[in-house]
Amino acid sequence: MTTFLQVSTATETRQQAVELAQSAVRARLAAGAQIIGPVTSVFWHLGEFGEGEEWQLLLKTSNDRYDALEKHLLERHPWDNPELCAVRIERGADECLRWIGESVTATPDA
């Protein structure tokens, strides 16, 4: 059975999130993406406490495609050290999971 993941990252602007989502989905590294925002983030970064607004990006993929998706996102992300996390989708509607699997195994669009 294929394992599916929800991968999250964040960007400073909505447009940056849209561009990352479009490139990952077009490359068939993710079946789809949702962009949520703005969201408020509170964090430690480079030894400093911070707070700011970000746009959260959630992508659906398979475990088999995660390494390629991670590489793709890190190469295109506007930040040097972006948060990039994946959580396993423990359960889901059969048709939804089938869609994810079919979407990330198809030939990338031109």
Side-chain angles (χ1 to χ4, degrees):
M1 174 186 271
T2 302
T3 301
F4 297 103
L5 305 172
Q6 179 170 276
V7 178
S8 66
T9 191
T11 62
E12 184 176 0
T13 69
R14 180 186 179 279
Q15 187 58 38
Q16 291 167 339
V18 168
E19 289 170 6
L20 281 176
Q22 289 175 340
S23 67
V25 173
R26 279 197 180 111
R28 299 288 185 156
L29 299 172
Q34 291 81 38
I35 297 164
I36 304 164
V39 297
T40 300
S41 292
V42 178
F43 52 85
W44 283 101
H45 184 66
L46 300 175
E48 294 185 20
F49 183 79
E51 181 179 330
E53 282 193 351
E54 300 175 338
W55 291 82
Q56 186 177 34
L57 175 59
L58 302 174
L59 304 112
K60 309 308 182 283
T61 194
S62 66
N63 192 60
D64 293 342
R65 297 295 277 160
Y66 176 80
D67 290 338
L69 176 60
E70 179 184 278
K71 182 177 187 288
H72 181 93
L73 293 173
L74 291 176
E75 287 174 350
R76 290 162 179 77
H77 203 287
W79 295 339
D80 292 336
N81 185 27
E83 174 186 329
L84 188 59
C85 299
V87 295
R88 184 179 188 161
I89 298 172
E90 290 293 328
R91 296 184 63 159
D94 289 342
E95 289 301 315
C96 177
L97 299 177
R98 186 178 351 271
W99 162 73
I100 295 170
E102 290 173 356
S103 296
V104 299
T105 56
T107 304
D109 295 340

